[in-house]
Amino acid sequence: MLSYKIFVGFSILWLSTFPFYGTIGGMESITLSPKQQEIQAFAEKYQSQLAPNKNPHIQYFFRLDQATVSVFSSGKVLFQGAKAAHYAGLFGHQPEKSSSSPASQNFALIGTDEVGNGSYFGGLAVVASFVTPDQHDFLRKLGVGDSKTFNDNKIRQLAPVLKEKIAHQALLLSPEKYNEVIASGYNAVSVKVALHNQAIFLLLQKGINPEKIVIDAFTSQQNYNKYLKQEKNHFPNPVSLIEKAEGKFLAVAVSSIIARDLFLENLENLSQELGYALPSGAGSKSDHVASQILQAYGMAGLQHSAKLHFKNTEKAQKLLER
């Protein structure tokens, strides 16, 4: 059972982050979180249409027929353009019948999201935010709902404003604590269930009274409920796991921005401690930096800064053997 006591070692802050779904000037925008195998298959199929992109958090950027596809280090994939739905359909996306207009979220809502799940270095940040309808105009004026266009500097500028104005609860599971929890029997999904549940629980403890609670789906409702039984802290409010929720609900969007800021702060602090610039994501750059840390500090260095069960650990070890 991952109880509150374990969270004592995590940084608990007030923060937020978000992506976007819908249309921008008539251009359709869709964000999915497909499996890594699906991403790699797509990358191989459209390798000839890879294009350069200055965003450091984009692993692959494709210029396709009437659409662009951005694969982020977080594992999320953004489709934009007239044929966005066509390419998203290759990942099993089905157009939604329900409206995601402002009226569809015209109620007090807790929304949660996590950042860091797809990054080898850095911790796992989860944030729950409480947003009411009278805050929607303020959030839209800030640009919440279109965070995919923001660079890290913009995220760092927005986060303090959101932390001050929006009630939220943030949790950071440090890499070291993450590795301990995984070693104790948790897996990548059950850890996220524990963190999302704990963030919501702590926010509700502050007297928040939401009409709905939405989690940006990272697993099925059945899996979530199964792992939830292992947790100590429970609450009576029903929870909905909704795909692409950060583009449909401003509360989830806020949580996404704050969580991104928290993750970046943790990555920066770890970089300063070790004397190496730790990259986000889990690409080849992470392998090389990990091998340098291994050489300088041994496995203890990676235990402190990275998620050891990622394949990057094995790749870094092989790099040292050459």
Side-chain angles (χ1 to χ4, degrees):
M1 178 184 297
L2 188 55
S3 67
Y4 178 71
K5 289 184 179 180
I6 290 182
F7 286 90
V8 171
F10 310 172
S11 298
I12 299 179
L13 312 173
W14 292 92
L15 308 117
S16 167
T17 304
F18 52 74
F20 172 78
Y21 292 89
T23 59
I24 304 177
M27 178 178 69
E28 187 171 10
S29 181
I30 300 169
T31 305
L32 303 177
S33 297
K35 296 178 180 178
Q36 280 299 317
Q37 300 94 307
E38 295 175 318
I39 293 175
Q40 290 303 319
F42 184 89
E44 291 175 9
K45 181 177 181 180
Y46 293 100
Q47 186 174 10
S48 62
Q49 289 161 280
L50 276 169
N53 190 284
K54 294 182 179 179
N55 188 329
H57 301 292
I58 292 181
Q59 288 186 313
Y60 304 110
F61 181 73
F62 302 90
R63 290 193 180 279
L64 307 173
D65 177 31
Q66 298 185 56
T68 61
V69 177
S70 303
V71 179
F72 289 82
S73 57
S74 64
K76 293 186 178 180
V77 181
L78 173 67
F79 305 83
Q80 290 182 306
K83 288 190 175 181
H86 167 74
Y87 292 105
L90 299 178
F91 291 85
H93 171 71
Q94 296 292 331
E96 298 192 11
K97 298 179 180 180
S98 60
S99 170
S100 59
S101 64
S104 69
Q105 56 172 318
N106 193 29
F107 43 78
L109 174 74
I110 285 180
T112 73
D113 201 4
E114 84 278 341
V115 173
N117 179 61
S119 180
Y120 177 58
F121 288 110
L124 178 60
V126 173
V127 176
S129 300
F130 177 64
V131 171
T132 57
D134 61 344
Q135 295 172 312
H136 288 181
D137 286 344
F138 159 72
L139 292 173
R140 290 195 180 92
K141 287 177 182 177
L142 281 180
V144 175
D146 192 13
S147 68
K148 285 294 185 186
T149 65
F150 296 161
N151 57 27
D152 288 343
N153 287 335
K154 185 65 174 179
I155 293 291
R156 303 307 294 269
Q157 291 172 6
L158 279 177
V161 178
L162 296 174
K163 287 189 286 183
E164 180 184 355
K165 300 294 185 180
I166 304 298
H168 64 282
Q169 179 66 60
L171 298 173
L172 174 69
L173 187 61
S174 70
E176 197 155 10
K177 183 60 68 173
Y178 179 94
N179 292 323
E180 290 177 16
V181 172
I182 291 293
S184 74
Y186 277 76
N187 60 44
V189 174
S190 60
V191 167
K192 285 190 285 186
V193 171
L195 285 167
H196 280 267
N197 178 71
Q198 184 72 358
I200 295 167
F201 175 81
L202 293 175
L203 189 54
L204 289 171
Q205 291 295 101
K206 300 178 186 296
I208 298 299
N209 187 26
E211 297 175 59
K212 187 179 181 71
I213 299 176
V214 171
I215 294 176
D216 187 33
F218 55 86
T219 189
S220 67
Q221 189 79 50
Q222 182 179 8
N223 257 353
Y224 186 89
N225 292 338
K226 178 182 72 174
Y227 289 126
L228 188 62
K229 293 177 182 178
Q230 302 176 20
E231 298 311 308
K232 177 181 179 181
N233 295 325
H234 295 273
F235 45 85
N237 312 61
V239 172
S240 300
L241 274 74
I242 299 177
E243 291 186 2
K244 305 184 297 254
E246 70 270 37
K248 301 172 184 174
F249 304 98
L250 288 170
V252 179
V254 169
S255 290
S256 176
I257 291 174
I258 292 179
R260 181 70 191 172
D261 179 71
L262 178 54
F263 169 77
L264 290 172
E265 181 181 40
N266 179 239
L267 205 60
E268 289 174 4
N269 290 339
L270 290 170
S271 297
Q272 291 176 3
E273 288 178 24
L274 297 174
Y276 292 91
L278 304 183
S280 177
S284 59
K285 188 174 182 180
S286 295
D287 301 337
H288 288 284
V289 174
S291 68
Q292 293 174 327
I293 292 174
L294 265 179
Q295 190 169 38
Y297 300 101
M299 188 58 72
L302 293 182
Q303 170 76 21
H304 181 67
S305 63
K307 302 175 183 73
L308 293 181
H309 69 89
F310 277 41
K311 292 182 179 179
N312 302 81
T313 302
E314 182 180 347
K315 293 177 181 178
Q317 291 170 327
K318 289 182 178 178
L319 285 174
L320 274 185
E321 295 171 0
R322 292 180 182 178

